[in-house]
């Protein structure tokens, strides 16, 4: 009996490209990296520094205060309740987005390993982020514009789409350049993403905030932006949307796509789902990789809590104003640019596992030193605080010392993200990086609640913000301890 002829449109999985050529400045490597220049400002501006605090404080909190619901409380108690409601709303957005992503991202990743071209799929995710981001301009206090539930839905859709785009983009890393150059390519991408955010922060400060506060470098905010209507915060959405749409073009033109032309996506999703279930059942066969994902679940959650709550901590504990927070964001983003490059360099020097462990340990030590700083003293009271200069921002030694330590956190946090991606590529079986990047996404989202919960409970138990933030180190310690047990068996360091 003659065997059936193979379908000419469906190539076997083994035939897919799994390696690339060139380095970080090669055509395909730089195109892969420049994608993060286009996309990452959304996360940095919207999720961390500008829109999320605005939504929590000036929409949720302010609307609650204006409603009269808290009129029976003292002023400080009412403000605390409003802040809590705002933070809970942001936590709810993160919770639902993380839940959706955790349930679906591994199946998407497995399908990416088996389906057709990845760029069209990625374009859909970026389109969703762009539309949702642009619509945030209409998020206004006092019930104007979009309602709170609609804003939350937009943020959830954009967050999930961001995660999907990350899984898809990461699945293309293995073909972006030579295997030994992937660390530098990954680091360059993160560096460019933070550099782009820094430029946008600087533009917001120079065009809108400084003119309104001190009449410099312009006598008034440019383009008719009204800070009393929070237009400088709302504008972050449309700016990120335009930035993403414009700067993603080089990626689509020049990045290498490992997908198989003509492959069936329905079949890819069916087979991918079976593969994910099989992989979970046969986790013992991927013992070292699973230990790494377990380690990442803890240290990534600690880092997410540190990034999400760190800005809130300094705003409340050190009482930094809006301009200081904006300068903090610019400074941290510039340092994070260097972190992406540093991560790639360190991996080449000491190996990816050692580099990642050193980066996490540096975050722990630096975080402990940060928590020794108060408005009254530095280093657990050993050095009294004093005024350094009479300026608009960071006038005391405590402010400047904390800001200096932020540079270490920014560098090592960004480097750890780069090193984590490189380690996943090193441990994952060839041709299945998309599936394992899906599981990688789960490891970063399934316990997204753990860090905030620890901070909340330790703060309530102790009545001290610093002890609340100190609890984050428990996650870092468990993560690095687990990481040190991973053997790099798939590829030599």
């Amino acid at each position: 009996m003659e065997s059936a002829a193979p379908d000419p449109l469906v190539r076997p999985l083994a035939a897919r490209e799994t390696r690339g050529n060139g380095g970080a400045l090669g055509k395909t490597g730089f195109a892969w990296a420049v994608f993060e220049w286009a996309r990452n400002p959304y996360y940095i501006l919207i999720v961390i520094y500008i829109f999320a605090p605005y939504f929590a404080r000036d929409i949720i909190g302010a609307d609650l205060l204006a409603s009269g619901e808290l009129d029976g409380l003292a002023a400080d108690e009412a403000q605390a309740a409003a802040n809590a409601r705002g933070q809970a709303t942001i936590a709810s957005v993160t919770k639902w987005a993380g839940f959706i992503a955790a349930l679906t991202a591994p199946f998407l990743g497995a399908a990416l390993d088996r389906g057709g071209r990845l760029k069209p799929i990625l374009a859909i995710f970026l389109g969703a982020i762009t539309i949702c981001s642009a619509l945030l301009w209409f998020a206004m206090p006092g019930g104007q514009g979009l309602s709170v539930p609609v804003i939350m839905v937009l943020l959830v859709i954009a967050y999930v789409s961001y995660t999907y785009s990350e899984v898809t983009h990461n699945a293309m890393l293995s073909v972006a350049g030579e295997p030994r150059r992937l660390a530098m390519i990954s680091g360059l991408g993160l560096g460019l993403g933070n550099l782009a955010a820094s430029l946008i922060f600087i533009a917001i400060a120079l065009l809108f905030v400084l003119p309104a506060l001190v009449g410099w470098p312009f006598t008034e905010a440019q383009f008719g932006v009204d800070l009393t209507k929070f237009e400088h915060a709302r504008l972050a959405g449309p700016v990120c949307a335009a930035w993403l749409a414009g700067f993603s073009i080089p990626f689509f033109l020049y990045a290498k796509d490992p997908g198989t032309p003509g492959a069936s996506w329905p079949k890819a999703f069916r087979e991918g789902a079976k593969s994910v279930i099989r992989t979970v059942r046969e986790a013992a066969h991927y013992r070292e990789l699973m230990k790494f994902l377990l380690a990442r679940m803890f240290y990534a959650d600690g880092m997410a809590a540190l990034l999400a709550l760190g800005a809130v901590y300094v705003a409340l504990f050190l009482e930094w104003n809006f301009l200081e927070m904006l300068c903090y964001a610019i400074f941290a983003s510039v340092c994070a640019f260097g972190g992406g490059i540093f991560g790639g360099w360190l991996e080449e020097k000491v190996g990816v596992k050692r580099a990642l462990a050193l980066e996490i340990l540096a975050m722990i030590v630096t975080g402990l030193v940060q928590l020794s700083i108060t408005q009254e003293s530095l280093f657990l009271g050993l050095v009294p605080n004093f005024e350094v200069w009479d300026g608009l921002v960071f006038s005391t030694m405590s402010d400047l010392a904390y800001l200096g330590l932020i540079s270490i956190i920014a560098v090592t946090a960004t480097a750890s993200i780069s090193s984590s991606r490189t380690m996943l590529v090193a441990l994952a079986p060839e041709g299945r990086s998309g599936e394992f990047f899906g599981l990688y996404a789960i490891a970063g989202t399934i316990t997204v609640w753990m860090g905030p919960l620890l901070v909340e409970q330790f703060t309530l138990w102790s009545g001290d913000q610093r002890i609340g933030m100190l609890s984050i180190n428990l996650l870092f310690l468990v993560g690095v301890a687990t990481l040190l047990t991973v053997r790099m068996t798939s590829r030599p360091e």
Side-chain angles (χ1 to χ4, degrees):
M1 179 181 293
E2 294 185 358
S3 59
D7 187 339
L9 295 180
V10 180
R11 294 164 56 193
L13 185 61
R16 290 169 65 96
E17 291 185 89
T18 58
R19 294 173 179 245
N21 299 303
L25 298 182
K27 183 174 72 172
T28 58
F30 190 77
W32 186 94
V34 82
F35 175 87
E36 300 201 89
W37 164 278
R39 185 199 59 177
N40 289 18
Y42 172 84
Y43 191 89
I44 296 171
L45 270 73
I46 304 301
V47 178
I48 299 178
Y49 290 116
I50 293 184
F51 188 83
Y54 158 68
F55 182 44
R57 180 185 60 245
D58 300 311
I59 295 182
I60 302 298
D63 288 354
L64 180 61
L65 289 171
S67 70
E69 184 178 334
L70 305 178
D71 286 351
L73 301 177
D76 57 343
E77 293 177 339
Q79 187 62 60
N83 291 342
R85 179 75 64 86
Q87 181 171 313
T89 302
I90 296 297
S92 179
V93 168
T94 306
K95 175 190 70 178
W96 284 109
F99 182 69
I100 294 169
L103 289 178
T104 56
F107 300 99
L108 169 66
L112 296 175
D113 289 332
R114 296 161 172 79
R117 291 300 189 190
L118 274 59
K119 287 181 181 179
I121 301 296
L122 191 54
I124 295 173
F125 302 145
L126 296 188
I129 299 171
T130 300
I131 293 171
C132 292
S133 185
L135 289 174
L136 294 180
W137 169 257
F138 301 102
M140 294 177 275
Q144 303 178 68
L146 301 174
S147 66
V148 167
V150 170
I151 297 170
M152 294 176 68
V153 168
L154 290 175
L155 292 173
V156 168
I157 293 173
Y159 194 111
V160 173
S161 298
Y162 190 95
T163 301
Y164 288 168
S165 72
E166 184 175 19
V167 172
T168 310
H169 181 236
N170 286 344
M172 301 170 72
L173 175 59
S174 61
V175 298
E178 299 173 22
R180 64 188 180 91
R181 303 288 181 85
L182 295 183
M184 287 303 298
I185 294 172
S186 175
L188 178 62
L190 288 167
L192 289 175
N194 283 282
L195 178 61
S198 301
L199 295 177
I200 298 174
F201 283 132
I202 291 171
I204 291 173
L206 294 179
L207 294 175
F208 312 126
V209 179
L210 287 174
L213 291 179
V214 296
W216 182 90
F218 305 101
T219 56
E220 59 183 17
Q222 298 298 287
F223 309 115
V225 169
D226 188 347
L227 271 65
T228 64
K229 297 180 179 179
F230 303 101
E231 290 182 352
H232 58 301
R234 292 159 46 203
L235 193 61
V239 167
C240 289
W243 191 276
L244 175 57
F247 284 111
S248 61
I249 293 174
F251 167 82
F252 286 100
L253 289 177
Y254 302 114
K256 196 171 185 179
D257 191 330
T260 305
S264 168
W265 279 109
K267 181 179 179 182
F269 274 98
R270 289 195 302 269
E271 293 183 352
K274 294 177 183 177
S275 178
V276 171
I277 295 171
R278 184 169 59 250
T279 299
V280 173
R281 288 176 176 172
E282 300 175 355
H285 295 168
Y286 309 100
R287 182 181 178 87
E288 303 309 315
L289 195 151
M290 290 300 178
K291 283 195 295 184
F292 165 64
L293 292 178
L294 179 64
R296 183 179 183 271
M297 183 177 73
F298 287 100
Y299 74 73
D301 189 44
M303 189 164 61
L306 185 63
L307 292 175
L309 299 174
V312 176
Y313 173 79
V314 294
L316 296 176
F317 195 73
L318 297 182
E319 297 185 353
W320 286 3
N321 58 40
F322 182 84
L323 182 58
E324 286 175 318
M325 294 301 294
L326 187 60
C327 293
Y328 158 38
I330 294 170
F331 180 69
S333 296
V334 170
C335 293
F337 166 73
I341 308 301
F342 171 77
W345 172 83
L346 186 61
E347 290 167 39
E348 291 186 348
K349 293 295 182 182
V350 302
V352 62
K353 188 180 101 172
R354 295 186 189 93
L356 183 54
L358 289 172
E359 289 151 5
I360 297 171
L361 289 171
M363 281 190 281
I364 294 173
V365 173
T366 306
L368 291 175
V369 178
Q370 283 182 320
L371 294 177
S372 74
I373 298 174
T374 70
Q375 292 189 63
E376 291 75 36
S377 65
L378 295 83
F379 315 128
L380 298 177
L382 294 176
V383 179
N385 190 23
F386 57 90
E387 187 173 78
V388 177
W389 71 308
D390 184 18
L392 289 174
V393 295
F394 311 126
S395 59
T396 71
M397 180 53 69
S398 287
D399 293 337
L400 293 173
Y402 199 98
L403 189 67
L405 292 167
I406 282 170
S407 66
I408 302 176
I409 293 289
V411 167
T412 52
T414 307
S416 74
I417 296 172
S418 174
S419 299
S420 296
R421 294 194 304 202
T422 308
M423 191 162 177
L424 190 283
V425 172
L427 289 171
E430 288 192 5
R432 296 177 65 187
S433 61
E435 174 183 342
F436 283 98
F437 266 119
L439 294 175
Y440 177 89
I442 272 197
T445 58
I446 197 169
T447 58
V448 72
W449 48 269
M450 192 183 300
L453 178 64
L454 282 174
V455 173
E456 176 192 22
Q457 293 302 315
F458 273 75
T459 303
L460 292 175
W461 166 70
S462 66
D464 190 320
Q465 275 187 267
R466 289 188 293 173
I467 292 179
M469 292 297 290
L470 181 65
S471 66
I472 293 175
N473 287 306
L474 295 174
L475 297 172
F476 282 131
L477 289 171
V478 173
V480 76
T482 307
L483 174 69
L484 292 175
T485 68
V486 177
R487 291 185 298 113
M488 302 298 291
T489 55
S490 295
R491 293 171 178 83
E493 288 196 78

